Amino acid sequence: MCGIWAIFGSDDDVSKQCASCLKIAHRGPDAFRIENVNHFKNCAFGFHRLAIVDDLYGMQPMRVNSLPHLWLVYNGEIYNYKLTQKQFDFNYETDCDGESILHLYNHGGIEFAAQNLDGVFAFALLDTAERKVYLGRDTFGVRPSFRLLTNDGFLAVCSEAKGKDLHQSSHNM
């Protein structure tokens, strides 16, 4: 199991809010990363990794050279990632199953990606070119994903509810 965490649209100091990401550290004992997004001062991704596939390139947030405008954190397993690679002639840069989410989205949009994913997963995808955030989860909700959306546009996403315990006092609920 891995832990995903992300915030978007924060007016508060993002570095202070990153402490909430550490509340889900038990979900990924092998490595962790917290990264802010270039030119998006009010958002950040966090990831706690349980390394199962691609030790070298499997760290998240996932970005690939061919799609530099896309950022992804995900938890779970995409069963048909090799099938989609062959079916759509995708050129994967890693051995990670989650890379298929990036390529499917880039090929046909978020609905196309959702229709072509088979697995158990939860993800947050940021398209910096379109300035849009997408959240996805498998049909049965096997992998957890909790979100907090406030009236002023602040969005927090996490694998566990306690990871969303941010400095919410400045956000209108």
Side-chain angles (χ1 to χ4, degrees), residues 16-43:
K16 291 178 183 174
Q17 294 184 353
C18 289
S20 65
C21 181
L22 300 177
K23 294 179 181 181
I24 61 164
H26 63 279
R27 296 187 67 89
D30 296 324
F32 78 93
R33 178 187 290 167
I34 299 172
E35 188 172 354
N36 70 310
V37 179
N38 299 339
H39 310 293
F40 288 78
K41 67 177 184 170
N42 59 357
C43 69

Side-chain angles (χ1 to χ4, degrees), residues 4 72-74 101 110 117 121-125 134-137:
I4 62 173
L72 174 72
V73 286
Y74 77 99
I101 299 169
I110 197 62
L117 287 172
F121 55 86
F123 68 82
L125 184 146
Y134 299 98
L135 307 179
R137 211 166 84 173

Side-chain angles (χ1 to χ4, degrees), residues 68-80:
H69 61 289
L70 300 180
W71 294 66
L72 174 72
V73 286
Y74 77 99
N75 175 30
E77 184 178 1
I78 308 300
Y79 303 140
N80 65 334

Side-chain angles (χ1 to χ4, degrees), residues 112-129:
F112 178 81
Q115 291 168 352
N116 284 281
L117 287 172
D118 180 23
V120 291
F121 55 86
F123 68 82
L125 184 146
L126 171 65
D127 183 333
T128 59

Side-chain angles (χ1 to χ4, degrees), residues 46-130:
F47 182 68
H48 293 276
R49 183 167 191 217
L50 175 62
I52 297 175
V53 296
D54 200 345
D55 279 346
L56 186 58
Y57 298 108
M59 195 57 185
Q60 296 180 42
M62 179 177 279
R63 298 179 72 203
V64 293
N65 290 328
S66 62
L67 304 169
H69 61 289
L70 300 180
W71 294 66
L72 174 72
V73 286
Y74 77 99
N75 175 30
E77 184 178 1
I78 308 300
Y79 303 140
N80 65 334
Y81 75 104
K82 289 183 179 181
L83 176 65
T84 59
Q85 180 182 27
K86 185 177 178 182
Q87 182 178 4
F88 299 107
D89 197 30
F90 293 149
N91 184 23
Y92 288 174
E93 298 174 30
T94 72
D95 291 325
C96 290
D97 54 338
E99 187 176 348
S100 62
I101 299 169
L102 296 172
H103 289 279
L104 286 166
Y105 168 77
N106 190 64
H107 184 75
I110 197 62
E111 288 184 24
F112 178 81
Q115 291 168 352
N116 284 281
L117 287 172
D118 180 23
V120 291
F121 55 86
F123 68 82
L125 184 146
L126 171 65
D127 183 333
T128 59
E130 296 293 325

